[in-house]
Amino acid sequence: MLRDLLIDKKLFENIHEKVLNEGNEELIKRKSLERAVLKKLRKKRSLKKYKKNGIAKSDLKEIIELADIASLELFGGPSDYQIVNEHPEWCSHCGTCCRESSPIFIHKDEINPILTFKPDLKTEIVQNVDYEEHFMFKEDLPCKFHNLEAKRCKIYDVRPQVCKTYPLVLMGEDNPYYVIDLRHKCDYIIHLVLEKSVILFDEALRRLENSKL
Ligand code: SF4
Ligand code: SF4
């Protein structure tokens, strides 16, 4: 398997197990995302010329799965955060994230800066339903501040941190880390996983060639 050239099986299984905890609905979304990436990757990397080396469609699928769940930092590459920061053009401004996210998390430390710049938001922010010491917008699904026609945020300069880092989501309390949100309808995410897949695929091929020398 091509992926075995990149990552130790046990380490991959550990990462995978962590992701599998997400539940069935998330897994279905993840598979949809991976299918969307596979479609684009096959346009970039034709398998025909690799077939003679025993590389199959299943190899591409496995590489995409790895790109989806693991950071390139594991292979000495950039973090997901660095990659998305360098490619704001991947966002098609479809607005799906603003229409379909709930609740929109606001960290308690964000309240003062937000209200200093926009005091009238005070009536729009309520206690978070899941994390009592934090906050959220009163109206979401869609977010009240999404301008549907202009496809832009009406409070862009003071939008919460979760909106700034989307499509990455911060997880873990003691040692927080970014994971890719599971939205398969987000072009930004499809591009990100595609970019990582191409890097990993080329690196795996390089290692395969070297192993034959
Ligand atoms: S981040 Fe994704 S879902 Fe949100 S507007 Fe951009 S492309 Fe659409
Ligand atoms: S605050 Fe702005 S960026 Fe955040 S969900 Fe609402 S419209 Fe989107």
Side-chain angles (χ1 to χ4, degrees), residues 43-56:
K43 281 186 191 157
K44 275 182 176 268
R45 294 288 189 272
S46 160
L47 274 186
K48 276 185 196 153
K49 70 176 187 185
Y50 299 122
K51 261 188 181 162
K52 62 178 186 322
N53 288 322
I55 294 164

Side-chain angles (χ1 to χ4, degrees), residues 88 90-99 146 151 163 166-167 183 185-190:
W90 286 343
C91 174
S92 59
H93 299 285
C94 65
T96 308
C97 51
C98 302
R99 290 195 309 271
H146 180 58
K151 296 187 171 176
C163 306
Y166 193 87
R183 249 174 248 281
K185 289 182 269 180
C186 171
D187 287 330
Y188 212 157
I189 295 172
I190 293 172

Side-chain angles (χ1 to χ4, degrees), residues 97-98 104 137 143 145-147 152-155 159-160 163:
C97 51
C98 302
I104 297 165
F137 283 131
C143 173
F145 304 109
H146 180 58
N147 183 330
R152 289 289 186 275
C153 174
K154 292 180 193 167
I155 55 162
R159 69 199 189 288
C163 306

